[in-house]
């Protein structure tokens, strides 16, 4: 394969029901640049590895597949499940950009990657580009959009430090900073790995939002979002510590903003 411009990074675990839809959403992308699919199955106990192997054999020029025979962990705490697989995959991405899509989500717009690539190529001051997603539920709860109609087109690290999460993981498209740089030392201690990654990127450039719905975010019992929730005090304490670590890492450049965020975590933890 030629040097890929975009790496599609897909961490997956026990996604037998969903992984074909995920991969088909990637393979339907129409681009004028080379892509690679970097996928890591974290020792699934269902038939997902066989499905991934089938696709990798059919498209060997696109796939860099890691089919782990043992779960990469860590096993505890449960909020960190899948962390090692994800970090390994991010480092394996060779592209100038990385597009994330977990193995239970999928893309619906065949021009998604091209649209994000074109924006980032034309706007070098941005590190992240994201878009809206439809959120669907296994339990048939009402569907809705991930982003609100008033979602800002242009955001900065300050928006993230205000504890606003407006970037759906499967919409994330970023400059591959981690290809040549290590993760911050506090990253490994943060349960919310997507927050940790976005903070490090947003510290080096801005965030652009495309107000189009180009994918589906699936909420189900096996998803990490059910563990990483506001009802989990352990997770709240970990999130508070992350913001404290980030404040120091940023040399307290956003100290007032972070302190307001920390006070809200104190209220939730003590409730």
């Amino acid at each position: 394969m030629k040097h890929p411009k975009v790496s599609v990074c897909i961490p997956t675990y026990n996604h037998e029901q969903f992984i074909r839809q995920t991969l088909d959403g990637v393979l339907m992308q129409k681009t004028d640049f080379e892509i690679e699919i970097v996928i890591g199955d974290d020792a699934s106990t269902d038939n997902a590895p066989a499905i991934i192997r089938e696709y990798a054999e059919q498209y060997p020029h696109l796939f860099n597949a890691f089919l782990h025979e043992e779960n990469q962990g860590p096993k505890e705490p449960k909020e960190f499940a899948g962390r090692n697989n994800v970090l390994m995959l991010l480092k394996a991405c060779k592209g100038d950009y990385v597009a994330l899509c977990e193995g239970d989500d999928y893309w619906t717009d065949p021009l998604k990657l091209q649209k994000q690539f074109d924006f980032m190529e034309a706007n070098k001051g941005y590190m992240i580009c994201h878009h809206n997603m439809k959120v669907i539920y296994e339990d048939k709860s009402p569907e809705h959009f991930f982003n609100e109609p008033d979602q800002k087109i242009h955001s900065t690290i300050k928006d993230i430090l205000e504890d606003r999460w407006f970037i759906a993981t499967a919409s994330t498209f970023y400059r591959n900073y981690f290809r040549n740089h290590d993760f911050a030392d506090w990253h490994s201690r943060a349960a919310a790995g997507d927050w940790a990654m976005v903070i490090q990127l947003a510290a080096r450039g801005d965030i652009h939002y495309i107000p189009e719905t180009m994918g589906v975010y699936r909420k189900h019992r096996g998803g990490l979002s059910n563990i990483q929730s506001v009802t989990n005090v352990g997770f709240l304490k970990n999130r508070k510590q992350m913001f404290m670590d980030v404040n120091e890492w940023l040399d307290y450049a956003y100290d007032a903003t972070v302190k307001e965020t920390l006070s809200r975590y104190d209220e939730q933890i003590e409730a």
Side-chain angles (χ1 to χ4, degrees), residues 11 37 47 75 79 107 114 124 129 174 185 198 202 209 234-235 237 244 246 268 270:
I37 300 171
N47 198 45
K75 293 181 179 179
E79 292 87 355
W107 299 335
Q114 188 70 55
K124 301 299 185 180
C129 179
Y174 68 88
D185 58 358
V198 163
Y209 172 63
F235 179 69
K237 290 181 177 178
M244 293 170 64
V246 168
Q268 292 181 74
E270 293 167 5

Side-chain angles (χ1 to χ4, degrees), residues 190-225:
D194 47 1
W195 280 76
M197 186 188 72
V198 163
I199 288 170
Q200 291 167 79
L201 293 169
R204 295 171 172 87
D206 292 344
I207 303 166
H208 177 71
Y209 172 63
I210 298 176
E212 299 179 31
T213 303
M214 296 193 275
V216 172
Y217 169 31
R218 200 188 308 264
K219 300 268 277 187
H220 58 94
R221 284 172 292 177
L224 262 184
S225 58

Side-chain angles (χ1 to χ4, degrees), residues 18-265:
F18 315 125
I19 193 64
R20 287 187 186 278
Q21 201 166 25
T22 303
L23 295 176
D24 288 344
V26 177
L27 291 170
M28 75 172 182
Q29 293 298 304
K30 299 177 181 178
T31 66
D32 59 13
F33 51 83
E34 299 283 340
I35 73 166
E36 65 169 352
I37 300 171
V38 182
I39 185 167
D41 182 88
D42 206 3
S44 291
T45 57
D46 61 11
N47 198 45
I51 295 172
I52 295 167
R53 195 174 291 111
E54 171 193 326
Y55 276 80
E57 290 173 356
Q58 187 174 357
Y59 303 96
H61 60 294
L62 293 179
F63 275 79
N64 185 8
F66 299 87
L67 303 178
H68 302 297
E69 295 185 2
E70 293 185 8
N71 189 278
Q72 300 300 290
K75 293 181 179 179
E76 295 293 338
K78 60 186 178 181
E79 292 87 355
F80 284 68
R83 167 62 57 83
N84 294 338
N85 180 43
V86 172
L87 294 181
M88 180 278 297
L89 288 176
L90 294 177
K91 278 297 191 182
C93 291
K94 302 183 185 73
D96 297 335
Y97 301 95
V98 177
L100 303 180
C101 190
E102 293 173 321
D104 49 355
D105 300 327
Y106 61 98
W107 299 335
T108 55
D109 187 337
L111 297 177
K112 170 208 149 65
L113 291 180
Q114 188 70 55
K115 291 173 183 177
Q116 292 184 291
F117 176 85
D118 288 346
F119 175 83
M120 296 291 275
E121 284 286 283
N123 297 273
K124 301 299 185 180
Y126 286 80
M127 286 296 287
I128 302 171
C129 179
H130 68 113
H131 55 77
N132 212 344
M133 301 276 288
K134 181 189 290 185
V135 183
I136 64 173
Y137 293 83
E138 179 185 52
D139 65 5
K140 306 303 181 184
S141 295
E143 299 176 358
H144 60 88
F145 293 110
F146 187 89
N147 294 107
E148 299 294 336
D150 61 352
Q151 172 60 46
K152 296 196 313 188
I153 299 297
H154 172 260
S155 301
T156 70
I157 189 171
K158 188 173 184 293
D159 295 289
I160 300 294
L161 296 178
E162 289 174 351
D163 200 22
R164 300 181 193 172
W165 188 244
F166 47 85
I167 304 175
T169 300
S171 78
T172 308
F173 186 101
Y174 68 88
R175 294 189 194 280
N176 195 1
Y177 175 81
F178 302 112
R179 181 172 57 184
N180 300 313
H181 297 84
D182 291 333
F183 301 106
D185 58 358
W186 52 266
H187 187 134
S188 63
R189 301 191 295 271
D194 47 1
W195 280 76
M197 186 188 72
V198 163
I199 288 170
Q200 291 167 79
L201 293 169
R204 295 171 172 87
D206 292 344
I207 303 166
H208 177 71
Y209 172 63
I210 298 176
E212 299 179 31
T213 303
M214 296 193 275
V216 172
Y217 169 31
R218 200 188 308 264
K219 300 268 277 187
H220 58 94
R221 284 172 292 177
L224 262 184
S225 58
N226 290 321
I227 297 172
Q228 298 180 355
S229 73
V230 294
T231 60
N232 182 339
V233 174
F235 179 69
L236 292 174
K237 290 181 177 178
N238 180 275
R239 179 72 67 81
K240 176 187 173 184
Q241 183 62 53
M242 180 190 74
F243 280 109
M244 293 170 64
D245 290 341
V246 168
N247 203 20
E248 181 180 0
W249 179 70
L250 291 171
D251 294 325
Y252 303 97
Y254 302 90
D255 188 52
T257 299
V258 175
K259 281 181 176 175
E260 288 185 16
T261 296
L262 293 175
S263 68
R264 289 194 295 272
Y265 274 98

